[in-house]
Amino acid sequence: MKTRGYAALSARADLVPFEFSRRDLRAHDVALDIKFTGVCHSDIHQVNEDWGPSIFPMVPGHEIVGVVTAVGPDVTKFRVGERIGVGTFVDSCRTCEYCRRGEQQYCTTGDTPTYNGYERDGVTPTYGGYGDTFIVDEDFAVHVADSLDLAGVAPLLCAGITLYSPLRHWGATAGQEVGIIGLGGLGHMGVKFAAALGATTTVFSHSAHKRDDAARLGAHRFVDTTDHAAMAALAGRYDLIINTVSADLDLAPYFDLVKVDGALVIVGLPVKAYQVRPFNLVAKRRSLAGSMAGGIKETQEMMDFCAENGITSDVEVVDAGYIARAFERTLASDVKYRFVIDAASF
Ligand code: NAP
Ligand code: ZN
Ligand code: ZN
């Protein structure tokens, strides 16, 4: 299927218009017209090869929403005309312990990334959602309620599930203190979900001007992380702190805020290693953990939670020609709170 999209042709290059073909529909495949694709900071990391060598040409994009246009003969999960979402992976081994329990992101053989990866054959590159069409196996897509604003749904497929999953795993609930470090694409979804789950929610931000937005998004407290006294006043208070920051960060001040048996969970993926002093963990039986996106089962659960609670991402919808500027502004923490590309502009 002919697809018009945008690709980076080499590392750190600006994205340019790029035409390519999606595979023919297989028995369990669903074809969709993409309506919106979110710009995740991971797209920037991978174009820039922050995490190591990437595959070029690269069509980024793993926050995809659209409408089903065709289904293969054996598809039972979707109908033509239905809304559909695709996130950070499009296949997995389907048989390992983690795949069987719906946590494909932890597949023992590695999941198949939506882009900058290879299909299960190991040689066919995957192309992501910066384009006007997509083909996906029905088992790797989710239903999207008609009640939700579609542009605001796109970021749920990565930013949303990446915060929903650890909040649920570590049991964020009423009576708990939850902190979110970094009010960007991931962070603003973390605030919405933590507040909706009933937790007392704090934003830790290095951008003081985001204070009012934090409150509007549902946060109960805003801490300017450059204010050391304000940080110190919260020592030993938090059950769970999730770090969404895309840049190198000194974690030491945040460990101090975690209470006995609490956890500091990393979802941001900067390049440099973190420093952890043994006392950071030992002194209060604290955990340092990480979390990767979320499986299909939990992504559907999150979508349903969003429909019930009227939750979507706060987005700035842009045309494909704005991608380079969107990358620049994301790197400068100047995004409220996710850029979403209108796929009609590809
Ligand atoms: P984003 O929208 O750019 O948000 C990152 C936020 O981090 C910024 O808004 C900013 O918040 C804060 N920040 C940026 N530079 C900083 C600095 N120098 N010092 C302190 N804070 C800084 O990015 P995103 O799309 O949310 O992604 C965040 C990270 O998560 C990226 O590394 C991405 O690759 C990773 N990620 C991981 C997963 C996963 O599965 N674990 C999934 C998706 C993305 P303030 O202005 O409020 O300080
Ligand atoms: Zn992402
Ligand atoms: Zn597996």
Side-chain angles (χ1 to χ4, degrees), residues 116-328:
N116 194 26
Y118 293 104
E119 298 282 2
R120 302 313 286 176
D121 64 10
V123 293
T124 309
T126 55
Y127 289 137
Y130 287 16
D132 57 2
T133 74
F134 204 77
I135 304 264
V136 67
D137 184 293
E138 61 177 334
D139 290 339
F140 292 82
V142 296
H143 299 281
V144 174
D146 287 333
S147 60
L148 295 173
D149 166 59
L150 209 48
V153 168
L156 300 177
L157 276 308
C158 175
I161 186 60
T162 299
L163 271 291
Y164 183 84
S165 184
L167 286 166
R168 293 303 305 257
H169 183 79
W170 274 272
T173 187
Q176 287 201 339
E177 294 268 2
V178 170
I180 305 287
I181 314 175
L183 195 62
L186 269 58
H188 92 291
M189 290 314 307
V191 172
K192 290 191 183 204
F193 286 136
L197 290 166
T200 303
T201 306
T202 300
V203 168
F204 295 97
S205 170
H206 83 315
S207 306
H209 62 88
K210 294 182 182 174
R211 183 180 292 273
D212 292 346
D213 282 345
R216 182 178 53 76
L217 293 164
H220 305 90
R221 199 180 290 123
F222 179 92
V223 178
D224 174 349
T225 54
T226 61
D227 180 346
H228 301 298
M231 293 281 283
L234 296 168
R237 188 161 189 142
Y238 289 86
D239 297 279
L240 172 65
I241 297 183
I242 303 181
N243 174 26
T244 76
V245 173
S246 50
D248 298 323
L249 191 70
D250 178 12
L251 293 183
Y254 298 99
F255 282 117
D256 291 341
L257 308 189
V258 176
K259 64 161 61 157
V260 173
D261 286 333
L264 177 56
V265 176
I266 307 295
V267 295
L269 289 165
V271 179
K272 239 173 70 186
Y274 292 115
Q275 280 225 331
V276 184
R277 284 181 301 122
F279 271 107
N280 290 152
L281 301 175
V282 170
K284 289 199 161 36
R285 201 163 56 193
R286 297 177 179 118
S287 306
L288 173 63
S291 184
M292 174 80 90
I296 296 297
K297 194 166 142 221
E298 196 170 42
T299 304
Q300 187 63 64
E301 180 190 305
M302 174 209 64
M303 278 293 175
D304 299 345
F305 182 85
C306 287
E308 278 160 32
N309 293 279
I311 292 174
T312 51
S313 170
D314 287 22
V315 297
E316 185 171 334
V317 178
V318 298
D319 284 348
Y322 196 79
I323 291 172
R325 185 77 189 112
F327 277 22
E328 276 171 22

Side-chain angles (χ1 to χ4, degrees), residues 40-43 62-63 88 158-159 162 186 338:
C40 179
H41 206 117
S42 300
D43 302 346
H62 59 201
E63 295 184 336
T88 61
C158 175
T162 299
L186 269 58
R338 196 58 139 189

